[in-house]
Amino acid sequence: MSDVWGQLFDFRDYGALLPLVANSLLAGAVLGLVGGMVSSIVMMRDLPFAVHGISELSFAGATGALLIGAGVVAGALAGSVVAALLIGVLGASARSRSSIVGVLMPFGLGLGILFLSLYDGRAANKFGLLIGQIVSVDDPQLTAMLVSGAVVAVGMLVLWRPLVFASTDPEVAAARGVPVRALSIAFMVLLGLAVAISVQTIGALLVLSIICTPAAAAFRVSANPRVVVALSSAFGFTAMVGGILLATGSRLPITPYVTTLSFAIFVVCAGVGAWRQRHGWSRARALAPSSRVAEPATT
Amino acid sequence: MARPVADREEVAVADPVLELRDASLSYGSRTLWSGLDLQVRPGELVAVLGGNGTGKTSLLRAVLGLQQLSAGTMQVAGHAPRRGDASIGYVPQQRRIDSHTPLRVRDLVRQGLDGHRWGIGRPGRVRWDRVDAALAQVGASAYADMPLSLLSGGEQQRARVAQALVGDPSLLLCDEPLLSLDQSSQRTVTELVDRRRREHGTAVLFVTHEINPVLPYVDRVLYLAGGRFRIGTVDEVLNSEALSALYGTRVEVLRHGDQVLVAGAPHHVEHHAAPCVHEDEDVAR
Ligand SMILES: Nc1ncnc2c1ncn2[C@@H]1O[C@H](COP(=O)(O)OP(=O)(O)OP(=O)(O)O)[C@@H](O)[C@H]1O
Ligand SMILES: [Mg+2]
């Protein structure tokens, strides 16, 4: 038992190890923040399944790149942006989106497994793209991740208001002149970039823990869109950076630490949300009996 | 119960907010309506009636610039219809807001003001004062900070009306805003719209299947049926002769005080559902 515990958490030589994970920490911090922003919109548009589909194609792209000797980063990016665009263009309605994702996902996973089997590089890294890396972000990879992260962050900030409008109320948004369709495609591209960064850190199978769970947790505790985004980013950041810090020293992938932290945050938020539903919000409601507000507000 | 309709002398001189001339709308070879001439003046409330698929929503979409007329011309506030026209407020055909919508009532209303602008909006610059004023106009101030998804259908509908009004529109388009509301909420929403056009001179196109809740406020009726239409006052349109001519078959219109019952209209059963009872006002107050 203590043996397992020792494997899970090992803080000997922690000071010496920390510098080695500096790159991962930086990449994780950026991913946590950006993933939190993106996941808010993912939840509003009901895209978690699409995120999963995109990550499998990103995995195929990354392993394909590994096989032919091109960069993993470029491969992951190419795979996820192509998948995101396909889903965005072919899956305008929820139903057609689900079916196109359902079709793409196993195809992507199968391709990735094929490429991995053909590839005879370092065995340790072999499944990293699927289930997460141990601790390995090299400098060029870090640069690529930071640049993609910055592009996503800036894109999200610029598109924010019309994107939220189009995500929550597409009809009225269109009537108000919001380019609903173009925004949807633009968001899919940003989502593709964010997924590509995630695949390289926590693995294709677990992307949802950073591009879905943080916002799902934030939605439980607030309905204020600003608070939701801030919380979601904070949750993503905590899960990623906390996960990496806990994993440092053990020789396990960061993934289980990140997913567990992320899930724990969700559980706490769900509890708080359930409590608030019963106590906090109902008080405001009690002030507004519908018959009284029916009267003209004469001034 | 019946209230005086808008002062006709006064509105007759003002320029129309909405003007259609010989307008037609078709999808491919299917023509929804054609030869439509309609002028809506400031403060006027025009009810748009007709069965499913007669092109009521399509008419609103054309006014919003989302749908091209296939023939004829249209002017909205003196110019051709264009997408995102700030002088139009729009209450869409009702749909419940689900729990994955992280918006409070005030956020929904705010979208009517600046939801279409790029960027995040500088925190200090948001016109919450106008949002609050719109919420007060519809009597929704008390639940301004409630999550939208927790509100009842009627309360959500009131929030949508506030969203449509916050931009201070000169033309208000309401697409079946009474759908699935109980009688008291129906009356609330209709009264809100009526008060708005009285106090601010906003012209209103009010699409509805339920005639009776709006009957006391309606200035004119546009009745669409089978590619044809009829425009006029309630008395001119909602009578057996006019509707029989429109449908080309015998249609009975029964009137009883403030209630209207249309019987025998083909493919058009929605009106019948409106119960012909006198609403007990006193209970609601
Ligand atoms: N983009 C489109 N292309 C082709 N046909 C369309 C399109 N949009 C609507 N229609 C058809 O035009 C007809 C009128 O639609 P519209 O939504 O305007 O009806 P409506 O009067 O609002 O009906 P309802 O009372 O059911 O809301 C319908 O039969 C619909 O199928
Ligand atoms: Mg309609």
Side-chain angles (χ1 to χ4, degrees):
Chain A
M1 184 66 214
S2 69
D3 196 34
V4 173
W5 196 255
Q7 278 195 320
L8 278 176
F9 303 104
D10 183 354
F11 298 110
R12 282 169 298 167
D13 305 323
Y14 200 71
L17 286 171
L18 263 189
L20 299 179
V21 294
N23 276 1
S24 291
L25 273 178
L26 195 51
V30 169
L31 172 59
L33 292 173
V34 168
M37 280 167 104
V38 171
S39 61
S40 307
I41 303 286
V42 164
M43 290 298 290
M44 287 180 211
R45 305 180 80 98
D46 194 16
L47 289 176
F49 191 48
V51 169
H52 204 41
I54 295 169
S55 41
E56 306 317 353
L57 257 92
S58 185
F59 167 66
T63 50
L66 211 54
L67 185 62
I68 61 170
V72 170
V73 179
L77 277 175
S80 64
V81 171
V82 167
L85 282 175
L86 273 178
I87 294 169
V89 172
L90 300 178
S93 75
R95 234 170 240 278
S96 60
R97 192 165 60 229
S98 280
S99 63
I100 189 86
V101 172
V103 167
L104 284 179
M105 195 160 61
F107 173 66
L109 204 49
L111 265 189
I113 288 169
L114 172 69
F115 294 151
L116 268 191
S117 313
L118 294 175
Y119 173 69
D120 49 15
R122 275 187 304 146
N125 225 5
K126 223 175 173 183
F127 287 101
L129 287 166
L130 202 52
I131 58 167
Q133 312 280 2
I134 296 189
V135 167
S136 60
V137 177
D138 59 23
D139 284 338
Q141 206 181 355
L142 177 67
T143 311
M145 284 177 164
L146 292 185
V147 170
S148 331
V151 170
V152 178
V154 170
M156 291 297 292
L157 288 177
V158 171
L159 302 184
W160 186 253
R161 274 184 294 182
L163 187 57
V164 171
F165 202 176
S167 304
T168 53
D169 201 345
E171 277 172 68
V172 180
R176 295 286 286 137
V178 171
V180 175
R181 187 98 182 99
L183 273 176
S184 154
I185 302 291
F187 175 68
M188 289 311 277
V189 173
L190 295 179
L191 177 60
L193 292 181
V195 168
I197 312 174
S198 318
V199 166
Q200 296 166 62
T201 28
I202 57 170
L205 290 181
L206 302 130
V207 166
L208 285 174
S209 70
I210 220 66
I211 304 193
C212 168
T213 314
F219 276 32
R220 295 297 174 117
V221 290
S222 178
N224 179 341
R226 279 202 186 127
V227 174
V228 162
V229 179
L231 278 181
S232 180
S233 287
F235 293 163
F237 179 87
T238 309
M240 278 308 298
V241 173
I244 293 170
L245 287 177
L246 288 176
T248 305
S250 77
R251 283 195 276 129
L252 301 170
I254 62 166
T255 316
Y257 300 90
V258 174
T259 52
T260 307
L261 269 181
S262 188
F263 180 69
I265 292 172
F266 176 82
V267 169
V268 170
C269 288
V272 171
W275 187 86
R276 250 199 112 172
Q277 192 104 338
R278 229 168 301 148
H279 299 90
W281 279 319
S282 53
R283 216 167 342 157
R285 196 179 167 75
L287 295 173
S290 56
S291 59
R292 191 187 319 157
V293 271
E295 287 299 297
T298 43
T299 42
Chain B
M1 171 73 198
R3 303 191 173 188
V5 289
D7 188 340
R8 256 167 238 287
E9 265 85 333
E10 191 194 318
V11 294
V13 292
D15 281 337
V17 181
L18 174 66
E19 187 168 21
L20 287 104
R21 283 190 191 283
D22 199 23
S24 311
L25 193 73
S26 319
Y27 291 116
S29 60
R30 177 162 175 229
T31 300
L32 295 181
W33 32 262
S34 58
L36 182 60
D37 285 303
L38 175 67
Q39 290 196 342
V40 186
R41 299 186 178 280
E44 201 177 13
L45 196 158
V46 176
V48 182
L49 309 176
N52 291 130
T54 48
K56 305 181 296 297
T57 299
S58 301
L59 170 64
L60 299 194
R61 288 178 56 80
V63 176
L64 287 165
L66 298 173
Q67 185 68 51
Q68 286 275 307
L69 287 179
S70 46
T73 60
M74 164 154 49
Q75 297 255 299
V76 181
H79 50 74
R82 57 181 183 220
R83 289 185 59 176
D85 189 336
S87 61
I88 304 179
Y90 175 47
V91 181
Q93 202 155 345
Q94 202 211 20
R95 170 175 63 82
R96 254 206 85 83
I97 292 165
D98 70 45
S99 57
H100 282 321
T101 306
L103 297 178
R104 297 162 300 170
V105 173
R106 64 168 66 253
D107 299 312
L108 180 90
V109 177
R110 178 191 163 191
Q111 285 184 331
L113 211 51
D114 66 359
H116 60 291
R117 292 188 198 282
W118 301 110
I120 54 171
R122 266 190 288 165
R125 289 290 187 81
V126 180
R127 298 296 309 274
W128 291 116
D129 53 332
R130 291 185 63 182
V131 171
D132 289 333
L135 283 167
Q137 256 187 60
V138 302
S141 305
Y143 45 85
D145 291 314
M146 286 274 289
L148 265 178
S149 54
L150 294 185
L151 299 187
S152 75
E155 290 164 339
Q156 289 188 354
Q157 200 62 351
R158 225 175 288 176
R160 286 204 180 84
V161 174
Q163 184 196 43
L165 295 182
V166 71
D168 200 16
S170 50
L171 175 62
L172 182 61
L173 308 176
C174 302
D175 199 351
E176 296 184 34
L178 307 182
L179 208 67
S180 80
L181 298 187
D182 66 17
Q183 290 191 352
S184 139
S185 296
Q186 287 185 346
R187 193 164 49 231
T188 307
V189 170
T190 339
E191 280 170 5
L192 287 175
V193 171
D194 178 61
R195 180 146 39 88
R196 170 71 197 189
R197 57 114 179 204
R198 274 169 207 289
E199 292 174 2
H200 299 264
T202 304
V204 184
L205 274 190
F206 199 101
V207 174
T208 183
H209 284 297
E210 311 254 14
I211 312 169
N212 290 317
V214 285
L215 210 54
Y217 311 110
V218 165
D219 293 319
R220 280 187 301 154
V221 172
L222 166 61
Y223 203 114
L224 300 169
R228 298 193 289 178
F229 62 88
R230 180 100 192 206
I231 303 176
T233 62
V234 173
D235 292 333
E236 286 163 7
V237 177
L238 295 182
N239 61 63
S240 301
E241 282 71 24
L243 289 194
S244 298
L246 188 59
Y247 279 109
T249 176
R250 187 67 203 152
V251 175
E252 285 299 339
V253 179
L254 307 173
R255 293 195 64 167
H256 176 65
D258 272 344
Q259 307 287 315
V260 169
L261 188 74
V262 179
H267 317 299
H268 193 204
V269 289
E270 288 77 17
H271 296 9
H272 310 184
C276 197
V277 294
H278 287 288
E279 299 157 0
D280 30 5
E281 307 261 33
D282 302 336
V283 177
R285 296 285 153 105

